[in-house]
């Protein structure tokens, strides 16, 4: 009614006058729905919140809050996934395993743990049944984007079919922790001799397609400006290193970390044997720049 009918009958001015208020209300409704349903809808919201080339900032600002609104799976369900993957009780793999998650995301969640040899790690575990949820939700999205391509207000700004294809391909890769482990190992090799960059160690013997065990590198979140300053680190230097590191990834090695939101970037304070370091985590989403 607002976007098509009123414009068709000559009331375009009325539609335009209410656009921002209506879109914000729609974005809030979607955020609430995604929070309740979880899975792919949360990823859709996060994906769209980064598409400032497609959506106005008053919508992306609303959607950006989705990362913090993901309900966690129960410890029992997560424990069941781990024991199924390894075929042994969880106590044979981890000396301790925190019942409360460190972080809950749309596809999985992260728990702190201690290996049987005493090393502190973080463990990423896919949500139970997430593969089936993803299949169903992607089918629904394909139907919705099939309708959207006929709406000129959308189609003239974005190729929704191509966006869905990009989103789907990336999402399906994130369901395979073997691939993420290999990506992390590749980044570890690339930055092995760079004292200013830290990539967490991967523990392959404690990892499967649905469980990923990594070195705990939860230092200072890159947007926690006060703590960065308190640690004696120049924030402008952090910004310069972040930018130069991404330019190096894209233009020199043609392989880049493609999910640079604040939850995936940390600052390690200076230590006795090293200066401060920029820390990357979460390598489920990466990009390759081909010669073409």
């Amino acid at each position: 009614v607002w976007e098509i009918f009123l414009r068709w009958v000559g009331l375009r001015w009325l539609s335009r006058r209410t656009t921002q208020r209506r879109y914000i209300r729609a974005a809030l409704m979607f955020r609430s729905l995604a929070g309740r349903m979880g899975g792919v809808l949360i990823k859709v919201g996060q994906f769209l919140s980064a598409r400032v080339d497609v959506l106005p900032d008053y919508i992306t600002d609303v959607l950006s809050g989705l990362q913090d609104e993901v309900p966690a799976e129960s410890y029992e369900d997560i424990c069941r996934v781990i024991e199924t993957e390894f075929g042994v009780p969880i106590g044979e793999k981890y000396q301790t395993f925190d019942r409360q998650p460190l972080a809950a995301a749309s596809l999985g969640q992260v728990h702190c743990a201690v290996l049987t040899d005493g090393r502190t790690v973080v463990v990423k575990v896919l949500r139970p049944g997430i593969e089936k949820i993803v299949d169903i939700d992607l089918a629904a999205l394909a139907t919705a984007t099939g309708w959207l391509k006929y709406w000129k207000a959308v189609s003239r700004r974005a190729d929704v079919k191509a966006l869905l294809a990009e989103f789907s391909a990336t999402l399906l890769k994130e369901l395979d922790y073997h691939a993420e482990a290999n990506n992390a190992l590749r980044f570890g090799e690339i930055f092995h001799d760079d004292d200013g960059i830290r990539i967490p160690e991967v523990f392959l013997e404690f990892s499967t397609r649905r469980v990923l065990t990594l070195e705990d590198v939860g230092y200072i979140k890159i947007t926690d400006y006060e703590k960065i300053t308190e640690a004696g680190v120049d924030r402008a230097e952090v910004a310069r290193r972040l930018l130069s590191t991404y330019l190096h990834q894209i233009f020199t090695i043609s392989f880049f970390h493609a999910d640079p939101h604040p939850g995936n970037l940390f600052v390690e304070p200076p230590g006795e044997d090293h200066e401060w370091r920029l820390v990357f985590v979460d390598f489920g989403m990466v990009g390759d720049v081909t010669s073409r």
Side-chain angles (χ1 to χ4, degrees):
V1 171
W2 285 98
E3 298 299 333
I4 299 174
F5 179 74
L6 287 185
R7 293 169 185 260
W8 182 64
V9 297
L11 296 176
R12 181 184 296 267
W13 62 271
L14 182 59
S15 174
R16 282 180 174 173
R17 194 174 68 181
T18 61
T19 294
Q20 182 167 334
R21 185 173 70 251
R22 288 185 290 105
Y23 281 18
I24 290 175
R25 185 168 66 245
L28 287 168
M29 290 171 62
F30 176 81
R31 193 171 84 175
S32 175
L33 175 69
R36 293 196 306 274
M37 294 190 69
V40 174
L41 282 191
I42 287 176
K43 295 295 289 187
V44 170
Q46 293 169 352
F47 179 75
L48 292 176
S49 72
R51 297 309 300 252
V52 293
D53 56 325
V54 179
L55 296 170
D57 57 5
Y58 55 79
I59 295 180
T60 57
D61 287 348
V62 171
L63 297 179
S64 63
L66 273 170
Q67 187 65 42
D68 302 319
E69 299 176 4
V70 186
E73 298 286 345
S74 70
Y75 168 75
E76 289 73 20
D77 287 341
I78 291 297
C79 184
R80 196 174 299 116
V81 171
I82 293 172
E83 293 181 341
T84 300
E85 287 295 297
F86 291 121
V88 298
I90 192 171
E92 292 189 23
K93 283 291 183 179
Y94 303 102
Q95 185 180 127
T96 63
F97 191 92
D98 286 1
R99 297 179 70 91
Q100 294 299 317
L102 180 65
S106 54
L107 304 182
Q109 61 193 50
V110 181
H111 290 255
C112 290
V114 177
L115 299 179
T116 51
D117 62 6
R119 288 177 293 182
T120 302
V121 295
V122 293
V123 185
K124 292 181 66 173
V125 186
L126 280 179
R127 290 176 179 270
I130 190 64
E131 292 93 344
K132 184 175 181 180
I133 293 171
V134 166
D135 286 343
I136 294 169
D137 286 355
L138 287 179
L141 283 174
T143 300
T145 55
W147 298 335
L148 278 174
K149 68 183 180 183
Y150 295 109
W151 188 14
K152 289 184 180 180
V154 173
S155 62
R156 71 168 177 263
R157 289 180 172 84
D159 183 341
V160 289
K161 185 177 179 181
L163 282 176
L164 179 62
E166 175 190 344
F167 173 79
S168 301
T170 302
L171 185 65
L172 293 173
K173 288 178 183 177
E174 288 189 77
L175 293 174
D176 183 358
Y177 284 163
H178 277 316
E180 181 172 347
N182 289 331
N183 291 336
L185 290 169
R186 185 175 172 185
F187 273 105
E189 292 175 2
I190 290 168
F191 291 105
H192 181 266
D193 297 323
D194 190 331
D195 294 333
I197 303 295
R198 182 164 185 174
I199 307 295
E201 181 183 353
V202 181
F203 298 95
L204 290 176
E205 66 272 32
F206 297 93
S207 301
T208 69
R209 190 182 66 82
R210 306 186 83 239
V211 179
L212 178 60
T213 302
L214 301 160
E215 176 188 11
D216 184 3
V217 289
Y219 296 105
I220 304 171
K221 195 174 180 179
I222 201 166
T223 50
D224 195 338
Y225 306 134
E226 288 186 11
K227 285 189 178 180
I228 292 174
T229 302
E230 288 172 6
V233 178
D234 182 354
R235 298 206 315 257
E237 183 58 32
V238 174
R240 281 192 289 271
R241 185 172 298 178
L242 179 64
L243 177 61
S244 65
T245 301
Y246 263 100
L247 292 175
H248 175 65
Q249 291 174 50
I250 295 167
F251 292 110
T252 306
I253 62 177
S254 302
F255 179 65
F256 61 93
H257 178 279
D259 197 12
H261 68 72
N264 290 341
L265 296 164
F266 296 87
V267 173
E268 179 184 3
E272 292 182 1
D273 59 345
H274 63 82
E275 295 297 319
W276 72 271
R277 295 170 177 156
L278 182 63
V279 183
F280 290 82
V281 301
D282 197 340
F283 301 92
M285 195 184 302
V286 298
D288 280 291
V289 183
T290 65
S291 57
R292 182 171 180 268

